[in-house]
Amino acid sequence: MATKYIFVTGGVVSSLGKGIVAASLAKLLQARGFSVAIQKLDPYINVDPDTLNPYEHGECYVTIDGAVTDLDLGHYERFLGIHTTQENNVTTGRIYQTVINNERKGEYLGKTVQVIPHITDEIKRRIQLLGTCHHYDFVITEIGGTVGDIESLPYIEAVRQLRYELGSDNALFIHLTLVPYIKAAGELKSKPTQHSVKQLLENGVQPDVLVLRTEKDLPREFRRKIALFCNVDPDAVVQSIDVPTIYEVPLMMQKEKLDEVVLKKFKLNDAPDADMEAWGQFVEKSKRPKKTVNVALVGKYVELPDAYKSILEAFIHAGVYNECKVKIHFFQSEHIDERTVSETLKDMQGIMIAPGFGERGIEGKIAAARYARENNIPFFGICLGMQCAVVEVARNVLGYKDAHSSEINPNTPHKVIDIMENQKHITNLGGTMRLGGYKCTIKEGTLAHRIYGKTEIVERHRHRFELNNEYLPELEKAGLVASGVNEQTRLVEIIEIPTHRFFIASQFHPEFQSAVLTPHPLFMGFVKAVAEISEL
Ligand code: GLN
């Protein structure tokens, strides 16, 4: 069958969960046996979010091919259990970069380069790439931002044209809006949705399906009214009521028949039913944890949990499969020091040190790593978290009091963490770190080996600094084991302390590869160790 394109826009306000609704629809179509690609178009001018502060943007999600992307791609992967790539995230910056490079090459020779048609053509090309090169049955494209934003206009125009070119049998629009409930009047309000659809119409787009985010059940009559005023079939007005977890959204969308409505519009009436059994079991299990465990997440962006999105989701997955609720306690590393750390973290059964950049809060992270090591508390460090654990051992076991990462103190004589050789001459900051999937070989008989159950893995990276191998023999004498190494470069990818109850840290980011139906082994192992200690 020809690839079917679904364009998802949002209106009224942002943060309605467009990415989750898009991923849920993708899941339901996938569960019916279709191949589905899902893509996010971001209206900002950064080429990618690599140089953005997490406070601005939330987490930067890294794909297997080393693209630094929007965190919605994490939802896509966690829901669908697939690998996304650079093609799944397009930014205005990237579009303009391509068009400007083409202009310099002379590809538009003689022509004035303009938003229409050059920018819109490039947007269309990037949307269709997924359909034409990879032959997916469905390509779902989520347009970032809210209808009416100046920045989104070229995207809306591009998908308007695409729908015209592909025809209504091959392309459709889903528009997501908010239905506010006014408590004092006891009323649900349809006006914002009507205005939002009107705005879309001004841009030449008539939505085919409306998904209405609401905190109250929407009566049939209310939906019919919206259908009438927005020119949409009554059964194509679907409610998306608030649910306790994002993982319930696909099941709720199934109940609301979002996938059925979409298939009907495409005249695909004999599609098999969606098999959501394993997903349903996951959700059921998540509601019946046998106990709660307390894990400290020590980081410097803790005021904005979205900065640690994939980590938090990976803990949810591992918690469900370990039958416990993992309660994450955020600790601002700036507020932790050697003197107070034991008091601050005393109720925690596990400690995670989060990834990060720069000096702020680094001493607090090092103090937390020491506290975990000396008190036999399950420890899990990711990226900067591993680097802090190494610095800590160098300082407090080897006695190199000035040991540090050269990222933080370039003048220390003991750079136990140092810049990678091939990073030394890089001057551009965006997209130049060690990014994406790299192989790692695991030493047999180690904790990492028990956790993964194999010796060859591929995990995703985003860093410039590494464990300085000059110090490895000494660190190993001090009790640290390099249990995972990249064979080609000799870069140390996993460290552990075998005499400790559970002490492991990785230079890579395991959180990017945890999915609902395939939780990540490292998170599984850590949560299991935390659950065991909570029984003592
Ligand atoms: N800042 C460190 C580095 O670049 C760690 C990066 C991270 O935690 N992702 O090596």
Side-chain angles (χ1 to χ4, degrees):
M1 92 183 188
T3 302
K4 309 287 180 199
Y5 292 85
I6 300 170
F7 307 118
V8 183
T9 53
V12 183
V13 290
S14 57
S15 306
L16 287 180
K18 223 183 328 153
I20 301 293
V21 168
S24 298
L25 174 60
K27 180 77 217 168
L28 291 172
L29 293 171
Q30 186 197 50
R32 285 172 178 269
F34 293 108
S35 64
V36 187
I38 180 160
Q39 179 187 46
K40 171 91 189 269
L41 306 182
D42 273 312
Y44 50 73
I45 296 172
N46 302 62
V47 171
D48 62 31
D50 202 26
T51 58
L52 278 175
N53 186 319
Y55 287 128
E56 287 272 320
H57 178 270
E59 160 188 282
C60 284
Y61 186 78
V62 181
T63 58
I64 195 84
D65 64 334
V68 182
T69 71
D70 185 77
L71 57 75
D72 268 337
L73 269 77
H75 292 309
Y76 304 163
E77 292 208 9
R78 289 186 282 273
F79 274 50
L80 299 176
I82 53 162
H83 281 168
T84 55
T85 66
Q86 180 64 72
E87 290 176 354
N88 300 77
N89 192 194
V90 174
T91 64
T92 296
R94 208 168 275 282
I95 298 280
Y96 271 80
Q97 195 179 46
T98 308
V99 170
I100 290 170
N101 285 344
N102 287 345
E103 186 273 335
R104 291 289 84 181
K105 278 189 235 150
E107 285 183 19
Y108 313 112
L109 218 51
K111 292 265 180 287
T112 308
V113 181
Q114 304 186 95
V115 172
I116 299 167
H118 301 97
I119 295 297
T120 45
D121 278 354
E122 178 59 17
I123 296 172
K124 289 196 292 185
R125 188 184 70 80
R126 290 196 182 240
I127 295 173
Q128 285 181 290
L129 213 60
L130 288 169
T132 49
C133 296
H134 304 289
H135 308 293
Y136 286 102
D137 297 326
F138 289 91
V139 174
I140 302 179
T141 301
E142 178 197 346
I143 299 169
T146 309
V147 168
D149 295 350
I150 293 174
E151 293 93 339
S152 316
L153 273 176
Y155 290 115
I156 305 279
E157 170 58 15
V159 294
R160 182 198 69 74
Q161 292 181 14
L162 255 187
R163 152 74 180 242
Y164 174 79
E165 287 161 5
L166 296 166
S168 59
D169 281 352
N170 294 315
L172 66 76
F173 289 105
I174 298 179
H175 188 53
L176 183 68
T177 69
L178 175 72
V179 173
Y181 175 70
I182 309 293
K183 258 203 202 101
E187 274 182 45
L188 291 156
K189 292 294 180 191
S190 65
K191 216 27 98 48
T193 299
Q194 294 180 44
H195 281 301
S196 181
V197 170
K198 207 166 145 197
Q199 181 97 51
L200 261 183
L201 285 169
E202 275 172 27
N203 298 330
V205 168
Q206 164 66 54
D208 301 282
V209 180
L210 290 176
V211 177
L212 309 178
R213 179 76 188 266
T214 172
E215 51 179 290
K216 295 252 180 248
D217 222 6
L218 301 180
R220 198 158 258 293
E221 245 340 282
F222 183 89
R223 297 196 211 187
R224 208 169 285 145
K225 178 178 156 195
I226 291 217
L228 175 66
F229 290 125
C230 298
N231 232 347
V232 171
D233 293 339
D235 69 351
V237 179
V238 172
Q239 76 172 8
S240 169
I241 200 157
D242 297 355
V243 280
T245 76
I246 55 169
Y247 298 117
E248 287 177 53
V249 180
L251 300 175
M252 178 179 69
M253 286 296 129
Q254 187 178 28
K255 243 195 254 146
E256 294 291 330
K257 302 190 166 52
L258 177 63
D259 53 335
E260 251 183 74
V261 170
V262 164
L263 291 170
K264 209 167 112 192
K265 296 238 173 265
F266 285 133
K267 303 193 177 74
L268 295 168
N269 296 321
D270 47 5
D273 287 343
D275 176 5
M276 292 293 285
E277 189 160 336
W279 192 278
Q281 278 167 7
F282 173 88
V283 171
E284 273 313 301
K285 225 171 162 183
S286 74
K287 291 180 183 162
R288 279 194 282 279
K290 296 215 169 108
K291 62 174 152 190
T292 299
V293 296
N294 297 295
V295 169
L297 198 151
V298 181
K300 71 171 182 176
Y301 312 112
V302 291
E303 299 80 3
L304 184 81
D306 263 7
Y308 303 112
K309 193 76 197 164
S310 293
I311 291 178
L312 299 179
E313 298 305 322
F315 272 125
I316 292 175
H317 308 155
V320 171
Y321 290 98
N322 277 292
E323 298 187 302
C324 57
K325 176 169 172 39
V326 183
K327 190 158 192 277
I328 301 294
H329 302 256
F330 291 100
F331 290 92
Q332 172 53 261
S333 52
E334 272 182 299
H335 300 158
I336 295 180
D337 63 39
E338 286 272 352
R339 264 180 323 108
T340 54
V341 62
S342 55
E343 182 55 29
T344 310
L345 299 178
K346 71 177 187 323
D347 296 325
M348 299 296 115
Q349 287 115 28
I351 294 172
M352 157 164 289
I353 308 229
F357 294 84
E359 184 177 8
R360 182 166 68 88
I362 196 88
E363 292 302 325
K365 289 182 176 176
I366 295 168
R370 177 178 196 176
Y371 172 74
R373 181 178 59 80
E374 291 184 344
N375 293 282
N376 212 13
I377 297 166
F379 174 88
F380 184 6
I382 297 182
C383 207
L384 183 64
M386 174 183 122
Q387 299 174 354
C388 288
V390 171
V391 170
E392 190 280 309
V393 169
R395 285 186 188 177
N396 301 314
V397 183
L398 292 178
Y400 297 131
K401 289 291 168 211
D402 49 6
H404 222 322
S405 162
S406 58
E407 176 183 7
I408 320 292
N409 180 2
N411 302 319
T412 176
H414 295 109
K415 296 175 186 164
V416 289
I417 303 293
D418 203 1
I419 188 140
M420 281 179 270
E421 200 46 48
N422 57 9
Q423 286 281 331
K424 284 186 179 159
H425 308 292
I426 288 174
T427 49
N428 273 0
L429 290 185
T432 56
M433 282 186 247
R434 181 181 183 218
L435 288 170
Y438 285 90
K439 274 193 196 155
C440 167
T441 303
I442 295 176
K443 222 184 244 163
E444 286 189 35
T446 59
L447 173 62
H449 188 225
R450 285 196 297 284
I451 283 176
Y452 277 97
K454 54 183 170 186
T455 53
E456 291 298 325
I457 56 168
V458 175
E459 293 278 5
R460 302 184 198 174
H461 294 252
R462 181 170 180 248
H463 59 107
R464 286 184 210 284
F465 296 80
E466 54 152 328
L467 190 149
N468 182 349
N469 275 324
E470 275 178 34
Y471 286 90
L472 191 56
E474 279 179 89
L475 287 165
E476 295 211 294
K477 257 191 235 140
L480 215 72
V481 168
S483 52
V485 172
N486 180 294
E487 293 280 11
Q488 268 102 53
T489 53
R490 303 308 301 161
L491 294 176
V492 173
E493 315 283 41
I494 310 176
I495 58 144
E496 58 189 70
I497 299 179
T499 51
H500 191 284
R501 177 182 280 127
F502 186 100
F503 193 107
I504 202 158
S506 63
Q507 187 56 76
F508 51 75
H509 291 260
E511 70 272 25
F512 296 141
Q513 300 204 109
S514 183
V516 170
L517 300 181
T518 50
H520 194 283
L522 278 174
F523 281 86
M524 287 289 282
F526 177 61
V527 170
K528 185 163 169 272
V530 173
E532 279 164 11
I533 192 178
S534 74
E535 273 160 22
L536 298 176

